[in-house]
């Protein structure tokens, strides 16, 4: 048996391939099985990634003693039952973000993680980009000074193309629309950079789309630190991924061409970070290192199973990012009135688990 | 007597000079007198700009039949009495932005403009920058498509330097802090670009400053069109002046180095506008013409006295920009709850005047 960590992907679509490609760039993980309800998909995936076997039922996969952990890339609304069943079967679980489509499901998953004590990681990969890491470093080492305002935008054209055939069209599958699909990335980024968010005021609209879900959302996020954050996310324009930080010593502007997002090891090449000090009219490019966000988060997860790594984004972090989304939905229904994260987390059933 | 339009500046500080320099670049306006309470300031200003006489009292200035109109650059909280007295004395009035420090005063001024029928202009010059003009053109001619999200930021370091000796320190002089001093520019810009704002949700904080006023404000502006706007304004970082528009055909990013703002005819040289279409990872610079915002608005005002120009930013536009500021203050007190502009305008006493 290989000394590598033995994992199995569950859900074998586009994103499973993005993650599998990240795994292939490293030497830590071995895919020993895989599962999809669709036999054809299983066969194609096994062939494509040289996996020796697949499970014909989810129960069969979870009964496979060789499988130490699973990688979940199924639709968000399937996360809860799949993840809890796996945790209870003793498997470690990595799931793509968001942790779930509803905060209730996220909190239930967090409770199962707590109860089973199994390793659990959520793929909020954006915080691992070289730009995010450097912004965090400049905040922590004082280079940026104190941050007062932080602005983030993640937008693309999806709403203009969305049809009723897409699950993202529907409120019961993707509640919050752009905010849960795109904004949740920045919710985690800002929590990572500025510390815990406290409350959210938001407005959501469905613009230039027939979708049920909101396709244009703006949220103001109040942080425990006193800083104010802003998240804008739209589905009716060319793609944008930016983070601007205003510090008492410097400003930073981060810009990512996320058409290269799926190539986890290329994203940094197509991003830029610029600093601006006092009296400086020109922004100065800041050199960025290279990361490999998908590979790194999967290897961290894998090694955590062996006790050789600590998971950076677990249930707590993922629930708090999703709570920003949920608070933005509730706030929009309340005409922008600030909604405390603790309120929505408690209402979802588990202040104690993730507080 | 000169055929030029005969105006007199009132308040002879730094900003009067910025405007006087704009006037000197043209051949439309003649300063025939000027007024400040301080005799020394009057003498120095007359000498500096070759003005033959000054008035030793405001009443004397307003009794001067040669003076067709005045240019007000006194502190915001003095606008109301000075402007109304001038209008009632038959003078045309140009005032720097904001129209007043409170919406009540702004509405009272609007009522006096209505009652006297005298020409009245407010110096919301930013919409005259080449970048603003081109953004507006691209919206009007369909190049941008439909705008869903519009983000604007105007920030600088003033709060880090603010002392109790500065009137901007105090709530009664500068209510709203950064929002009335900086954000009001973007309130007018967004009203200009997107049509009338309808409601505002905002959060205001005093960060890294001893000032009474808020030094960090974020506001979400709902527009009648359905679009969402965002205004961020801080006083605790290096300077920023940006406008980002997300359209269904293009995105636009405008960036101004406002250290050159005071040189009205140089601002465009130190600004950039970049467009981004679908599938474009790189932004493309858009060539900007050259404007001279202070000169142009003053000449427009002057010529309007002779019936040869139409004032672009009058009482209605200025009150609606200030109403965005006022609504942001009220909303912040109400924890982000959206405040309708009509509510604050009506409460200030004059829905009828500016509705």
């Amino acid at each position: 048996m290989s000394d590598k960590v033995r994992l199995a992907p569950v859900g074998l679509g586009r994103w499973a391939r993005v993650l599998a490609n990240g795994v292939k760039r490293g030497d830590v993980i071995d895919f020993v099985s895989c599962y999809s309800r669709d036999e054809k998909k299983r066969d194609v995936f096994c062939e494509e990634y040289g996996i020796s076997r697949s499970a014909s039922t989810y129960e069969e996969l979870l009964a496979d003693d060789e499988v130490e952990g699973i990688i979940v890339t199924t639709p968000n609304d399937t996360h809860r039952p799949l993840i809890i069943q796996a945790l209870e079967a003793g498997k470690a679980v990595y799931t793509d973000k968001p942790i779930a489509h509803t905060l209730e499901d996220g909190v239930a998953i967090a409770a199962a993680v707590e109860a089973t004590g199994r390793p659990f990681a959520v793929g909020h990969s954006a915080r691992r980009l070289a730009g995010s890491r450097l912004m965090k470093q400049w905040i922590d080492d004082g280079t940026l000074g104190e941050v007062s305002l932080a602005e983030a935008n993640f937008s693309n054209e999806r709403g203009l193309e969305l049809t009723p055939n897409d699950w993202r069209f529907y409120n019961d599958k993707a509640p919050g629309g752009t905010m849960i699909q795109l904004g949740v990335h920045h919710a985690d980024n800002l929590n990572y950079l500025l510390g815990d968010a406290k409350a959210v005021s938001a407005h959501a609209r469905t613009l230039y789309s027939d979708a049920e879900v909101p396709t244009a959302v703006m949220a103001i996020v109040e942080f425990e630190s006193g800083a104010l954050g802003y998240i804008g996310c739209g589905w009716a324009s060319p793609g944008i991924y930016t983070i601007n930080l205003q510090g008492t010593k410097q400003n930073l502007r981060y810009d990512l061409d996320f058409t290269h997002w799926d190539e986890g090891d290329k994203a940094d090449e197509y991003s830029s970070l610029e600093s601006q000090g006092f009296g400086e009219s020109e922004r100065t490019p800041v050199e960025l290192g290279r990361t490999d966000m998908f590979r790194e988060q999967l290897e961290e997860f894998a090694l955590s199973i062996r006790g050789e790594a600590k998971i950076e984004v677990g249930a707590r972090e993922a629930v708090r990012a999703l709570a920003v989304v949920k608070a933005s939905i509730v706030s929009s229904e309340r005409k922008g009135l600030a909604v405390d994260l603790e309120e929505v987390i408690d209402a979802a059933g588990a202040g104690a688990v993730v507080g």
Side-chain angles (χ1 to χ4, degrees), chain A:
Chain A
M1 204 183 329
S2 164
D3 190 41
K4 294 184 186 179
V5 181
R6 298 176 307 276
L7 304 181
V10 173
L12 304 176
R14 186 179 70 85
W15 202 254
R17 287 172 166 77
V18 167
L19 297 181
N21 294 339
V23 164
K24 277 172 61 182
R25 289 192 292 272
D27 200 31
V28 169
I29 295 164
D30 197 14
F31 282 164
V32 293
S33 184
C34 63
Y35 173 71
S36 159
R37 282 180 305 188
D38 185 325
E39 186 180 352
K40 180 99 195 300
K41 277 192 180 178
R42 297 198 298 265
D43 293 347
V44 170
F45 198 87
C46 281
E47 172 76 21
E48 202 173 329
Y49 289 94
I51 305 173
S52 58
R53 67 175 179 279
S54 66
S56 57
T57 67
Y58 191 51
E59 288 66 29
E60 183 187 326
L61 185 82
L62 297 184
D64 186 335
D65 286 340
E66 209 185 342
V67 173
E68 298 174 81
I70 63 168
I71 295 176
V72 176
T73 57
T74 57
N76 302 337
D77 65 324
T78 67
H79 283 187
R80 179 181 181 166
L82 289 177
I83 291 170
I84 293 179
Q85 197 178 342
L87 291 168
E88 290 177 349
K91 305 303 183 191
V93 176
Y94 168 99
T95 183
D96 201 50
K97 66 89 229 169
I99 184 171
H101 71 313
T102 67
L103 195 54
E104 289 70 18
D105 279 16
V107 159
I109 291 168
V113 170
E114 181 89 359
T116 62
R118 299 307 304 148
F120 176 73
V122 182
H124 279 291
S125 52
R127 62 158 70 190
R128 295 174 191 268
L129 289 161
S132 307
R133 293 306 200 196
L134 202 59
M135 284 188 269
K136 174 69 168 162
Q137 184 187 318
W138 280 32
I139 289 171
D140 288 349
D141 70 14
T143 305
L144 204 57
E146 303 294 333
V147 175
S148 49
L149 303 182
E151 300 170 350
N153 186 305
F154 196 176
S155 297
N156 62 36
E157 72 292 344
R158 190 183 284 276
L160 301 174
E161 303 160 351
L162 214 55
T163 71
N165 296 325
D166 193 317
W167 59 270
R168 296 169 188 82
F169 195 91
Y170 300 101
N171 277 322
D172 61 341
K173 303 281 185 186
T178 52
M179 193 65 191
I180 193 162
Q181 294 305 115
L182 303 177
V184 73
H185 284 282
H186 281 318
D188 181 65
N189 283 331
L190 295 183
N191 281 339
Y192 167 60
L193 293 170
L194 303 178
D196 280 351
K198 191 171 69 173
V200 181
S201 279
H203 290 277
R205 299 277 181 280
T206 304
L207 296 177
Y208 317 120
S209 173
D210 296 324
E212 277 184 13
V213 299
T215 59
V217 179
M218 286 187 168
I220 297 171
V221 186
E222 303 175 79
F223 287 87
E224 298 281 359
S225 70
L228 292 174
Y230 160 80
I231 299 173
C233 38
W235 264 348
S237 77
I240 296 176
Y241 183 102
T242 56
I243 300 175
N244 301 319
L245 300 179
Q246 296 178 230
T248 51
K249 293 181 182 172
Q250 304 262 349
N251 293 331
L252 282 174
R253 175 191 279 192
Y254 180 70
D255 216 327
L256 172 76
D257 171 10
F258 68 90
T259 59
H260 295 273
W261 181 280
D262 290 6
E263 312 150 73
D265 58 337
K266 297 283 193 304
D268 296 321
E269 282 177 45
Y270 295 89
S271 66
S272 67
L273 183 67
E274 295 176 310
S275 70
Q276 179 203 5
F278 285 106
E280 292 176 12
S281 56
E282 300 285 313
R283 294 185 179 82
T284 307
V286 181
E287 199 172 343
L288 293 176
R290 293 287 177 266
T291 61
D292 189 346
M293 55 183 173
F294 305 130
R295 172 182 166 184
E296 289 172 17
Q297 67 189 2
L298 288 166
E299 293 187 349
E300 177 188 281
F301 164 67
L303 292 172
S304 79
I305 300 174
R306 303 283 177 88
E308 293 164 19
K310 189 175 173 305
I311 289 169
E312 180 172 335
V313 183
R316 180 188 188 281
E317 292 74 21
V319 164
R320 292 199 71 88
L322 189 58
V324 170
V325 173
K326 177 64 180 178
S328 76
I329 298 170
V330 175
S331 173
S332 184
E333 289 165 356
R334 296 181 189 168
K335 301 188 176 205
L337 186 67
V339 172
D340 284 344
L341 263 58
E342 297 313 325
E343 177 195 330
V344 292
I345 291 172
D346 287 348
V353 177
V354 292

